[in-house]
């Protein structure tokens, strides 16, 4: 399988505290990679480094074998990141929220937005302001992006937060499908993932040394 | 969350998107998309437009009350008072320029989108000017009447604000971007930005005074135009860099 | 030539190297500063001729002018150091920039204070909206902004970067501010006396001034190096070489 994203000798220091160092990893097309570890070991920091939100790190990142720093826009076009905050405006409807997101990547296409919202079970909620929706539904609006922007690389920070049990299963299925179609997923979660595909795990916070291992 | 009832459609959609993947995303589209979203947000919370205008009006009202209602005296200070009040109104409303985006995570999405961050900043600044700087400019002549601004000053007051307020929005965006990640900003942003506003204030007020005294104002306006162009080019870059730092925490 | 410069530049980036080399430089700069400032002060205050219009009160320029020049130079130095830290991610440059701010603010304050002291006998008021003094006052505000921003961030790295951006923005603005304040000043009050812009100062008057300016630069270098060294020790306290240094000193 083709290599999608890889990192060499990654190290991150936050406020004089070494979070991790000498971290190497490779994510191939079709891989799902979980960043695991106790609180405060730098899971979110690592994800933000990978997404290009945190420039303070040592080491190098490669997208499809090319250094990310050489063409960051190419990397960003192929990245879909969902962070802690869903990135939803409460005063806008789900449709308007997604219309903005769509404008960042694709030409406007209302059918496509309705379709994405249907996929995350928000049919009928397209036109109501988001402040009337629940936290779980906000998450779902954010997750609808997965259908709007077909980026090969997904980086998801705690995607299961506030999602009900049935929803968790659906997202797991979605991740598995994405991997099957040749995409790559990197995520953090406290939830025990049950995926049909193999799950790679980066364990952070083990005696200051991190290593990649197969789970 | 694959919708089993409609697998065909899902596949079609996937194909459509994949095909577009070859095309580079357009920063112009992202610019207008963000512009439309932010305008829509302001439209939903119309008080955001009204508050700076109320502040402007009240602040101007304080001067006759605090100093003297005598018309000759007010006429003398009118240009300065109007400019200072407009400047403060702009500054106070800028505080929240990026705050909401930071809190709800959409700022992250802007930063990792494949567009120059400066373009995105420009889009937000344009919205800010449209809903603050422009209304302030339109309201200023009205308050000029209350301040007994001499007749020759009105046109130039309007023009100078029209040229100056975009500069204020642009420069202020740097301060907003620098402080958006901080837990307690308080008056910090005001402290950072006010000294940078001084040249705009000097030439803005200067142009109105010159017009009232029957002197040429083209030079003033040219300088204000030059300041606007400089801010237009440099401020979004600085604000973009500042936003990346603020996201770092 | 270029290569040695690049090598030097990279070595400057190492806090340990910076600490050691500046340790050797400080005594020299300190000696030069003491010598020059002593000579300049004595010369300026005791031997230079009195001004034909202002009498002896003009002698304050031997402190005012060096302080004012330093105040502006330090802002530029701070922005350049900040820019280097921002672009090349050089920690030492960040620390230099951070150390610059309080020194610069102090110099600005000295310039303002001496300006006020000079204003009293000359204009009969402690404060006059003289173009130079007004520019200095705004510069002081800019310094306060940078210092306030530095202390507002929890993360030292973010603090350094944010204040670097602010000082770069400030540097772009300083000439604009200076120009507009000068223009504003000529519009509002054509001052009869200016603190420094006199018609051709005779050499007996400006020579001691020159000595003072150089002395002030040396003094700035000493204080800057000392502050930066403190900052280095504080930030690198976990490293081996600082630990070794501390145990050595007992």
């Amino acid at each position: 399988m083709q290599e999608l994203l890889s990192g060499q000798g990654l190290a991150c220091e936050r406020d004089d505290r070494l979070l991790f160092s000498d971290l190497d990893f490779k994510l191939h097309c079709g891989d799902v990679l979980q960043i695991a570890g106790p609180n405060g070991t730098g899971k979110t920091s690592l994800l933000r480094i990978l997404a290009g939100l945190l420039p303070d790190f040592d080491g190098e990142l490669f997208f499809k074998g090319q250094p990310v720093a050489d063409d960051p826009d190419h990397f960003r076009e192929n990245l879909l990141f969902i962070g802690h905050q869903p990135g939803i405006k409460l005063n806008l409807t789900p449709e308007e929220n997604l219309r903005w997101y769509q404008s960042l990547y694709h030409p406007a296409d209302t059918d496509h937005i309705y379709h994405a919202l249907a996929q995350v079970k928000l049919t009928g909620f397209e036109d109501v302001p988001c402040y009337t929706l629940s936290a779980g539904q906000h998450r779902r609006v954010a997750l609808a992006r997965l259908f709007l922007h077909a980026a090969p690389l997904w980086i998801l920070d705690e995607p299961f937060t506030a999602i009900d049990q049935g929803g968790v299963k659906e997202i797991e299925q979605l991740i598995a499908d994405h991997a099957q179609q040749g995409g790559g997923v990197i995520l953090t979660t406290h939830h025990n993932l049950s995926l049909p595909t193999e799950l790679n795990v980066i364990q952070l916070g083990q005696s200051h040394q991190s290593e990649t291992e197969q789970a | 969350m694959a919708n089993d009832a409609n697998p065909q459609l899902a596949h079609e959609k996937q194909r459509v998107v994949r095909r577009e993947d070859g095309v580079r995303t357009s920063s112009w589209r992202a610019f207008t998309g963000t512009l439309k979203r932010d305008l829509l947000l302001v439209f939903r919370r119309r008080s955001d437009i009204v508050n700076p205008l109320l502040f402007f009006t009240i602040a101007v009202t304080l001067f006759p009350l605090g100093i003297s209602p005598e018309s000759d005296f007010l006429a003398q200070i009118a240009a300065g008072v109007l400019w200072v009040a407009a400047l403060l109104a702009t500054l106070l409303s800028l505080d929240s320029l990026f705050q909401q985006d930071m809190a709800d995570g959409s700022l992250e999405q802007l930063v990792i989108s494949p567009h120059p961050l400066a373009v995105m900043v420009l889009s937000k600044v344009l919205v800010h000017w449209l809903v603050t700087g422009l209304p302030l400019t339109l309201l200023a002549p009205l308050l000029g009447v209350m301040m007994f601004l001499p007749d020759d000053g009105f046109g130039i007051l309007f023009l100078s604000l029209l040229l100056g307020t975009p500069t204020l929005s642009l420069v202020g965006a740097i301060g907003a971007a620098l402080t958006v990640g901080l837990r307690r900003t308080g008056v910090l942003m005001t402290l950072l930005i006010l000294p940078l506003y001084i040249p705009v204030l000097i030439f803005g007020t200067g142009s109105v005074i010159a017009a009232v005294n029957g002197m040429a104002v083209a030079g003033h306006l040219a300088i204000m135009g030059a300041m606007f162009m400089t801010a237009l080019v440099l401020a979004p870059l600085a604000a973009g860099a500042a936003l990346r730092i603020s996201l770092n925490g | 030539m270029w290569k040695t410069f690049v090598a030097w530049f990279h070595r400057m980036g190492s806090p340990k190297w910076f600490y050691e080399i500046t340790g050797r430089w400080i005594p020299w700069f300190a000696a030069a500063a003491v010598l020059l400032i002593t000579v300049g002060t004595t010369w300026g205050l005791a031997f230079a001729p009195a001004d034909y219009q202002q009498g002896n009160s003009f002698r304050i320029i031997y402190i005012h002018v060096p302080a004012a020049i330093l105040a502006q130079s330090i802002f530029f130095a701070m922005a350049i150091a900040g820019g280097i830290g921002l672009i090349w991610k050089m920690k030492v440059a960040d620390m230099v920039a951070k150390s610059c701010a309080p020194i610069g603010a102090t110099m600005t304050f000295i310039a303002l204070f001496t300006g006020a002291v000079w204003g009293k006998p000359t204009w009969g008021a402690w404060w006059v909206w003289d173009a130079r003094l007004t520019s200095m006052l705004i510069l002081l505000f800019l310094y306060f902004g940078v210092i306030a921003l530095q202390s507002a961030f929890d993360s030292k790295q973010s603090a350094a970067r944010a204040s670097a951006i602010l000082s770069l923005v400030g540097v772009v603005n300083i000439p604009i501010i200076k120009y507009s304040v000068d223009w504003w000043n000529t519009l509002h009050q054509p001052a009869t006396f200016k603190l420094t812009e006199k018609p051709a100062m005779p050499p007996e008057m400006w020579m001691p001034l020159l000595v003072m300016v150089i002395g002030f630069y040396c003094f700035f270098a000493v204080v800057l190096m000392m502050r930066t060294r403190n900052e280095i020790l504080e930030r690198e306290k976990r490293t081996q070489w600082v630990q070794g240094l501390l145990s050595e000193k007992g």
Side-chain angles (χ1 to χ4, degrees):
Chain A
M1 272 299 211
Q2 202 199 351
E3 185 186 299
L4 197 59
L5 185 71
S6 66
Q8 273 174 18
L10 299 180
C12 177
E13 199 179 300
R14 292 288 272 173
D15 298 320
D16 292 340
R17 204 163 62 88
L18 190 67
L19 289 175
F20 49 81
S21 63
D22 291 328
L23 182 79
D24 296 327
F25 79 93
K26 271 195 169 69
L27 179 82
H28 296 278
C29 294
D31 281 355
V32 179
L33 177 65
Q34 185 188 355
I35 319 266
N39 291 335
T41 49
K43 296 190 296 287
T44 293
S45 292
L46 179 55
L47 280 197
R48 293 173 75 84
I49 287 172
L50 298 181
L53 281 166
L54 195 63
D56 289 332
F57 68 98
D58 289 327
E60 222 177 337
L61 287 172
F62 298 91
F63 180 68
K64 293 185 176 168
Q66 300 296 315
V68 168
D70 286 1
D71 190 357
D73 279 350
H74 175 64
F75 169 71
R76 289 179 189 142
E77 275 174 15
N78 288 284
L79 166 72
L80 201 162
F81 171 79
I82 298 182
H84 267 289
Q85 304 298 332
I88 299 300
K89 295 280 175 201
L90 296 183
N91 278 315
L92 299 183
T93 67
E95 189 215 325
E96 287 159 350
N97 268 301
L98 291 180
R99 187 179 297 288
W100 169 69
Y101 183 76
Q102 196 179 40
S103 76
L104 296 180
Y105 296 92
H106 303 293
D109 180 353
T110 309
D111 287 350
H112 203 169
I113 291 173
Y114 272 75
H115 167 73
L117 284 171
Q119 296 289 305
V120 294
K121 307 251 158 81
L122 285 175
T123 306
F125 293 102
E126 295 95 343
D127 286 335
V128 298
C130 278
Y131 57 75
T132 61
L133 303 180
S134 73
Q137 284 171 315
H138 293 161
R139 268 277 139 190
R140 282 168 183 267
V141 177
L143 288 165
R145 289 180 195 146
L146 299 174
F147 296 92
L148 268 186
H149 172 39
L153 176 63
W154 291 1
I155 297 183
L156 313 173
D157 198 355
E158 300 285 350
F160 303 113
T161 309
I163 296 281
D164 56 34
Q165 270 187 343
V168 168
K169 286 242 151 43
E170 288 162 15
I171 300 169
E172 280 176 343
Q173 186 57 46
L174 197 62
I175 290 170
D177 287 350
H178 183 63
Q180 208 119 51
Q181 288 169 10
V185 182
I186 303 177
L187 78 164
T188 60
T189 178
H190 291 294
H191 172 84
N192 281 324
L193 279 173
S194 58
L195 292 175
T197 50
E198 195 178 33
L199 179 69
N200 300 304
V201 179
I202 292 179
Q203 191 72 38
L204 290 181
Q206 285 181 337
S207 65
H208 293 291
Q209 279 297 317
S210 323
E211 52 211 43
T212 316
E213 59 186 43
Q214 300 274 312
Chain B
M1 278 171 256
N3 193 340
D4 292 336
N6 216 343
Q8 190 59 45
L9 184 60
H11 274 279
E12 244 172 56
K13 286 294 174 191
Q14 291 283 343
R15 242 193 7 252
V16 169
V17 175
R18 286 270 142 77
R19 198 184 58 220
E20 286 162 4
D21 252 9
V23 188
R24 273 242 161 177
T25 47
S26 148
S27 291
W28 172 247
R29 198 162 53 223
F31 177 85
T32 49
T34 307
L35 192 76
K36 276 183 209 155
R37 180 196 69 167
D38 282 13
L39 281 175
L40 198 58
L41 276 170
V42 177
F43 180 71
R44 296 273 152 86
R45 289 174 48 89
R46 264 154 287 202
S47 65
D48 286 358
I49 307 182
V50 179
N51 288 347
L53 294 177
L54 285 177
F55 174 88
F56 185 39
T57 313
I58 294 170
V60 169
T61 312
L62 292 181
F63 284 86
L65 291 174
I67 311 175
S68 152
E70 203 233 319
S71 64
D72 282 351
F73 173 73
L74 283 181
Q76 231 175 18
I77 61 165
V81 166
L82 289 168
W83 253 98
V84 169
L87 181 148
L88 289 176
T90 308
L91 191 61
L92 291 176
S93 63
L94 267 167
D95 200 29
S96 57
L97 186 61
F98 300 110
Q99 242 162 31
Q100 214 49 49
D101 284 3
M102 181 79 164
D104 66 23
S106 52
L107 189 62
E108 285 174 357
Q109 296 296 335
L110 271 186
V111 170
I112 60 162
S113 71
H115 311 288
L117 197 48
V119 173
M120 302 289 104
V121 169
L122 204 57
S123 164
K124 294 195 70 74
V125 172
L126 179 55
V127 172
H128 177 266
W129 182 75
L130 285 174
V131 302
T132 315
L134 186 61
L136 285 175
T137 306
L138 294 171
L139 182 63
L142 205 66
L143 295 178
V145 176
M146 283 168 64
M147 292 294 291
F148 303 104
L149 183 72
D151 289 345
D152 292 336
F154 281 91
I156 197 71
L157 175 72
F158 179 80
L159 267 181
S160 67
L161 281 168
L162 197 64
L163 258 176
T165 45
T167 317
L168 299 182
S169 293
L170 283 162
V171 174
I174 303 173
L178 281 170
T179 53
V180 67
L182 301 170
R183 266 170 282 125
R184 297 163 277 105
T185 51
V187 290
L188 180 61
M189 151 153 188
T190 321
L191 197 69
L192 305 184
I193 292 307
L194 271 181
L196 304 177
Y197 276 180
I198 288 170
V200 182
L201 174 69
I202 287 177
F203 282 100
T205 315
S207 64
V208 182
I209 293 173
V212 169
N213 293 339
M215 295 191 303
V217 291
H220 299 83
L221 293 180
I223 289 169
M224 293 189 76
M227 289 196 287
F228 168 60
M229 291 313 285
T230 313
L232 185 65
V233 174
L234 296 180
L237 291 174
L243 279 181
R244 284 184 201 278
I245 292 163
S246 289
L247 271 178
N248 247 322
Chain C
M1 178 62 200
W2 177 246
K3 269 200 182 139
T4 48
F5 174 73
V6 171
W8 180 80
F9 190 70
H10 278 280
R11 260 196 299 172
M12 275 312 257
S14 142
K16 181 168 184 274
W17 190 82
F18 185 92
Y19 187 85
E20 282 164 1
I21 194 87
T22 50
R24 267 178 278 151
W25 287 353
I26 283 179
W28 295 101
F29 277 97
V34 170
L35 184 74
L36 289 169
I37 292 177
T38 317
V39 169
T41 316
T42 328
W43 191 356
L45 294 192
F47 298 104
D51 186 81
Y52 72 101
Q53 274 181 311
Q54 300 171 32
N56 279 323
S57 69
F58 99 97
R59 289 182 200 278
I60 196 114
I61 67 159
Y62 293 112
I63 297 176
H64 174 82
V65 171
I69 291 178
L70 261 283
Q72 293 172 46
S73 305
I74 294 173
F75 204 97
F76 278 88
M78 178 171 75
I80 291 167
I84 291 174
L86 209 57
I87 297 166
W88 287 288
K89 314 231 144 109
M90 201 183 277
K91 270 194 195 170
V92 174
D94 287 347
M95 297 184 216
V96 169
K98 188 183 173 193
S99 310
C100 276
I103 313 176
T106 313
M107 286 293 170
T108 316
F109 183 76
I110 292 174
L112 278 174
F113 183 78
T114 50
V117 169
W118 171 78
K120 186 65 186 164
T122 315
W123 287 315
W126 289 107
W127 178 259
V128 206
W129 291 96
D130 161 76
R132 188 184 192 85
L133 290 182
T134 311
S135 290
M136 276 290 142
L137 186 64
I138 299 171
L139 186 65
L140 188 65
F141 294 156
L142 289 177
Y143 271 119
F144 283 156
V146 172
I147 294 170
L149 190 64
Q150 258 165 4
S151 52
F153 278 87
D154 294 328
S155 149
K156 283 184 180 139
Q157 239 160 13
S158 301
R161 298 217 176 120
S163 41
I165 290 185
L166 187 63
S167 24
L168 285 169
V169 171
V171 159
V172 173
N173 261 274
I174 284 175
I176 304 175
I177 291 175
K178 241 182 123 42
Y179 171 73
S180 42
V181 168
D182 282 348
W183 179 85
W184 160 83
N185 194 247
T186 51
L187 185 76
H188 285 273
Q189 46 179 175
T192 39
F193 287 112
K194 286 241 169 80
L195 191 38
T196 50
E197 286 151 65
K198 350 191 104 298
M201 221 186 255
E204 309 92 275
M205 274 165 103
W206 63 254
M207 282 294 282
L209 188 59
L210 187 67
V211 171
M212 282 303 270
V213 170
I214 300 171
F216 263 61
Y217 269 108
C218 290
F219 173 74
F220 162 62
V222 173
V223 181
L224 179 66
M225 285 191 277
M226 285 167 65
R227 288 192 67 95
T228 311
R229 277 158 65 89
N230 272 339
E231 193 71 27
I232 288 175
L233 288 187
E234 162 105 32
R235 284 217 218 165
E236 302 277 304
K237 57 177 178 255
R238 290 177 312 135
T239 59
Q240 233 166 4
W241 70 271
V242 175
Q243 295 291 338
L245 208 69
L246 290 177
S247 57
E248 223 172 82
K249 298 233 162 129

